[in-house]
Amino acid sequence: MSTSDMRDIDDTVVAELTRLRESIDNIDAAVVHMLAERFKCTQQVGLLKARHQLPPADPAREARQIARLRQLAETANLDPAFAEKLLNFIIAEVIRHHERIAVEPRTADDTGTDDPRGTTGSAEDGPEDRR
């Protein structure tokens, strides 16, 4: 709805719509920042896996995470199928990053903090997963 379309709408409705949209914008920003933090952690997991020749994917871990996220979604009154699709999308991206990390040269003391490859890593692995 454009600004010109809103001229005919009651001011209280416009104010409420604006308030809600500002909340949505703030939530979207928080989601992006949380994903960035998660990827920073999983970057370290990807580097650890590469150093120890562990496979980029961990299907058992992924299945546990999907089940866990579906349960969280149900508790939060969010469609579990949607939550699963979202996690599967993230996992696919993470595996792609782990595969790239596994073939790129690293230094012996590479911790991932100054890694020029970016800050992405494994979404299926988080700070709670210290393999």
Side-chain angles (χ1 to χ4, degrees):
M1 177 178 302
S2 70
T3 305
S4 62
D5 294 335
M6 294 177 72
R7 282 184 277 194
D8 298 331
I9 300 174
D10 183 87
D11 287 345
T12 58
V13 173
V14 171
E16 181 67 3
L17 184 59
T18 300
R19 183 189 68 77
L20 290 168
R21 286 178 172 167
E22 287 172 354
S23 291
I24 290 167
D25 293 348
N26 288 335
I27 293 165
D28 288 346
V31 167
V32 167
H33 288 284
M34 291 301 296
L35 283 172
E37 284 302 309
R38 184 153 175 35
F39 278 108
K40 285 178 188 176
C41 292
T42 60
Q43 169 78 7
Q44 294 173 22
V45 171
L47 291 167
L48 183 63
K49 285 180 172 185
R51 272 188 229 114
H52 296 279
Q53 294 82 44
L54 297 171
D58 183 346
R61 164 77 176 160
E62 294 159 19
R64 288 191 308 273
Q65 285 299 89
I66 289 168
R68 180 177 162 270
L69 194 67
R70 287 185 66 92
Q71 181 59 48
L72 288 170
E74 286 180 28
T75 302
N77 295 317
L78 179 68
D79 179 6
F82 169 77
E84 182 173 347
K85 286 178 191 175
L86 177 62
L87 186 60
N88 280 327
F89 177 77
I90 292 169
I91 288 171
E93 182 68 6
V94 163
I95 291 170
R96 187 177 72 77
H97 288 279
H98 279 196
E99 289 169 345
R100 187 188 72 229
I101 290 169
V103 298
E104 289 181 351
R106 294 172 306 282
T107 62
D109 60 352
D110 188 1
T111 63
T113 55
D114 295 319
D115 193 319
R117 294 176 294 239
T119 59
T120 56
S122 172
E124 81 273 11
D125 298 321
E128 73 279 1
D129 187 32
R130 303 283 189 219
R131 286 191 287 247

